[in-house]
Amino acid sequence: MGCLGEGHFNEELENGVSIECGEVGFQEEGNTNTAAIEDAVKVLLVGLGEDINREGIKKTPLRVAKALREGTRGYRQKVKDIVEGALFPEAGLDNRIGQAGGAGGLVIVRDLDLYTYCESCLLPFQVKCHVGYIPSSQRVVGLSKLSRVADVFAKRLQEPQRLANEVCSALHQGIQPAGVAVILQCTHIHFPDIESIFLESNQQGWVKKLVSSGSGVFENKNADVWADFFCLLKFRGIDVEKISLRGSSDQHWCPSLSALSAKVSSKIEPLDPTMITAVSSILNSLGEDSLRKELSGTPSRFVKWLLNFQSIDMDVKLNSSLCGRIDTLNINREINFNDRQIHSELNLPFWSQCEHHILPFHGVVHIGYFLSEGFNPIGKSLLQSIVHFYGFKLQVQERLTRQIAETISPLLGGHVIVVVEASHTCMISRGIEKYGSSTATIAVLGCFSTDFSARAAFLQRVASATSSGGQQFLLEVEMF
């Protein structure tokens, strides 16, 4: 199948940490300095020009500390504690005849949703994990333990291949099966910075990677058992040819290491050393070694990302940008409603950072408006610029929605509706684990605030042009 390489399960990892039975020599929970994380977050907020005593921000350091500790709790967990007591005797499962003694075969748990932090940039990425093993030694393991073991390693700073290797190795040592197979579908949010969003018109929203790891009978990448494994995953949208080999590396997995990111970063002024030191302090407080080679550039990359949301007078920049840029080009859609036209622009992408948890959120903005007499329509490029101006701040979605509506309203005569749909990483990063959920907010001005039929006509247009995909929506409405 061409999907993995050699399996060495008692070796020291590149970072010098043994994973025998998943026991890792990091700090115990009671020694983790939460106060140090809060102090570091305050330094970062001050470096962004924020008032750490304002409402919405003053409790952010505590919220961030709790979120980070939850997202890295794997440093304080041991696989041995999970697996022991979950191994059950099953007669006939031995290595004498065929797979699992001819009495059993491949066991797979599919579609495990995991969440982890990228070790290169400290931004989150999501993982769809598929784990399989072939029982042996007359014992099987409780299926829920496969998920729990995978989660232990996901709740550490990670990169895809090492995550797959660690899960595979720990399960092999803990269960002692005939073999273990792990496939991960990893998705990293490709958040552009405020410069690159204008340098590169076709921004990619996601970076995706497939990786695998195998032990025992799965060490041979051409073994028939791999064919069985992939057949059982054939409905999971996995392209076997794109799966990375065990031990392979791809420096472009993390968007912060991409060529464009490096080009833009080279133009940035020297970073505040106190902010970089603060991020290093956070890494150490979580139980990591900030001097580990894979983390050597992480504090700088994270600070560069945060500086996209620096508190500056964006309104002044926006007002200067608006001058002379009202045009009548690229109007996306028009809806006839009671002899009036509802102009609309749908699916304008945005990226932002939640001020409550310093975690990213992203999505799309839908804008509709009635054009008052004496006003001209607004082109898509200007609407997108307005969305970006308010996205690149420490934000909350409700405020973002209102700010966009209030900015475009006087340019069009006052009758505006704005819908923002967003996915928030804080919904999965703090133990809530509401994968696939999203939030929708609405701001309405002028006649849209009183005319239900007009609102319904626009919202139906949005519904027809987009697909919820079965997601859960939390709806908040603001009327002015």
Side-chain angles (χ1 to χ4, degrees):
M1 289 296 175
C3 53
L4 65 154
E6 299 301 321
H8 303 290
F9 301 103
N10 293 304
E11 64 185 357
E12 296 290 306
L13 298 181
E14 289 184 358
N15 62 7
V17 178
S18 173
I19 61 169
E20 182 177 358
C21 291
E23 293 188 46
V24 182
F26 290 109
Q27 301 176 41
E28 292 297 321
E29 183 172 1
N31 296 329
T32 303
N33 193 343
T34 303
I37 299 177
E38 293 183 55
D39 291 340
V41 173
K42 290 177 183 178
V43 171
L44 295 176
L45 291 172
V46 170
L48 293 177
E50 290 288 346
D51 177 5
I52 60 175
N53 293 313
R54 77 169 172 86
E55 289 297 327
I57 287 286
K58 64 182 180 181
K59 291 186 178 180
T60 291
L62 176 60
R63 288 189 289 257
V64 172
K66 288 182 177 180
L68 285 174
R69 281 181 52 77
E70 171 63 27
T72 57
R73 65 175 184 268
Y75 289 127
R76 303 178 294 279
Q77 295 176 314
K78 298 179 181 179
V79 171
K80 182 178 180 181
D81 295 338
I82 295 173
V83 174
E84 284 187 350
L87 293 171
F88 305 102
E90 187 65 29
L93 298 181
D94 56 50
N95 293 322
R96 291 178 296 178
I97 306 173
Q99 292 181 12
L106 182 60
V107 178
I108 293 181
V109 176
R110 300 176 293 198
D111 300 321
L112 300 174
D113 286 313
L114 305 176
Y115 171 95
T116 189
Y117 284 94
C118 175
E119 68 178 9
S120 296
C121 65
L122 287 186
L123 293 183
F125 69 91
Q126 297 182 42
V127 180
K128 185 75 72 173
C129 175
H130 313 284
V131 181
Y133 81 103
I134 295 177
S136 184
S137 304
Q138 297 191 12
R139 60 183 182 178
V140 295
V141 69
L143 296 179
S144 66
K145 306 308 178 185
L146 299 178
S147 176
R148 290 188 61 191
V149 169
D151 192 60
V152 165
F153 292 101
K155 293 300 184 288
R156 300 173 184 177
L157 302 187
Q158 282 290 3
E159 65 88 25
Q161 189 61 62
R162 189 175 74 247
L163 176 57
N165 293 346
E166 289 181 343
V167 172
C168 182
S169 300
L171 287 173
H172 189 88
Q173 294 176 31
I175 303 173
Q176 295 296 311
V180 175
V182 176
I183 288 183
L184 305 181
Q185 296 171 277
C186 303
T187 305
H188 196 309
I189 303 171
H190 186 188
F191 287 101
D193 57 44
I194 201 167
E195 286 194 52
S196 69
I197 193 101
F198 294 106
L199 289 175
E200 185 180 19
S201 58
N202 296 319
Q203 284 287 338
Q204 299 298 316
W206 303 96
V207 175
K208 297 185 178 182
K209 188 172 183 179
L210 281 164
V211 297
S212 70
S213 189
S215 69
V217 296
F218 289 98
E219 287 188 41
N220 181 354
K221 64 182 180 182
N222 296 313
D224 291 340
V225 68
W226 272 108
D228 296 340
F229 190 92
F230 284 118
C231 283
L232 292 173
L233 295 179
K234 64 181 179 180
F235 299 113
R236 277 14 186 214
I238 295 176
D239 185 345
V240 177
E241 299 301 321
K242 292 184 179 180
I243 296 181
S244 297
L245 305 180
R246 178 187 172 106
S248 67
S249 62
D250 183 355
Q251 63 175 348
H252 299 305
W253 150 250
C254 177
S256 70
L257 300 174
S258 69
L260 178 63
S261 178
K263 179 179 179 181
V264 173
S265 297
S266 65
K267 301 178 181 180
I268 298 177
E269 297 180 359
L271 301 175
D272 183 347
T274 61
M275 296 180 73
I276 295 176
T277 300
V279 178
S280 296
S281 173
I282 290 174
L283 294 176
N284 291 329
S285 297
L286 293 175
E288 260 291 359
D289 179 6
S290 61
L291 299 180
R292 178 162 65 89
K293 65 177 183 178
E294 293 86 357
L295 298 178
S296 60
T298 299
S300 295
R301 286 188 286 267
F302 184 66
V303 170
K304 288 175 182 177
W305 161 249
L306 277 184
L307 288 176
N308 288 306
F309 308 95
Q310 194 170 7
S311 180
I312 56 178
D313 195 348
M314 298 291 283
D315 294 333
V316 172
K317 286 191 173 185
L318 179 60
N319 290 335
S320 63
S321 177
L322 291 176
C323 296
R325 292 191 59 187
I326 306 298
D327 59 74
T328 59
L329 302 177
N330 300 321
I331 298 305
N332 192 18
R333 299 173 182 86
E334 295 179 350
I335 308 170
N336 290 321
F337 177 74
N338 294 338
D339 297 327
R340 294 181 295 172
Q341 289 182 337
I342 301 178
H343 298 268
S344 65
E345 194 65 60
L346 308 181
N347 294 311
L348 299 171
F350 81 92
W351 295 264
S352 196
Q353 192 89 335
C354 173
E355 71 175 34
H356 294 158
H357 299 97
I358 315 299
L359 284 169
F361 68 99
H362 65 100
V364 292
V365 178
H366 313 293
I367 298 173
Y369 57 92
F370 285 119
L371 196 62
S372 296
E373 185 176 354
F375 290 85
N376 294 319
I378 294 180
K380 178 179 179 179
S381 61
L382 180 54
L383 291 175
Q384 182 68 80
S385 294
I386 292 172
V387 168
H388 285 326
F389 269 115
Y390 288 114
F392 280 98
K393 293 182 177 183
L394 294 187
Q395 273 286 15
V396 294
Q397 184 175 335
E398 297 87 344
R399 184 191 308 143
L400 171 68
T401 310
R402 175 178 55 80
Q403 287 174 332
I404 294 172
E406 289 180 341
T407 298
I408 64 176
S409 176
L411 305 177
L412 298 165
H415 307 295
V416 172
I417 181 171
V418 174
V419 176
V420 176
E421 296 180 281
S423 296
H424 292 253
T425 52
C426 64
M427 289 293 288
I428 56 176
S429 67
R430 298 179 295 123
I432 302 173
E433 298 185 353
K434 296 297 182 183
Y435 294 90
S437 67
S438 63
T439 301
T441 49
I442 301 178
V444 288
L445 294 166
C447 67
F448 283 104
S449 64
T450 57
D451 191 333
F452 173 78
S453 298
R455 292 201 304 275
F458 175 74
L459 294 177
Q460 182 58 49
R461 189 70 182 88
V462 172
S464 299
T466 61
S467 173
S468 66
Q471 293 177 328
Q472 306 167 33
F473 287 92
L474 306 175
L475 184 62
E476 299 189 14
V477 181
E478 293 193 18
M479 296 185 180
F480 302 92

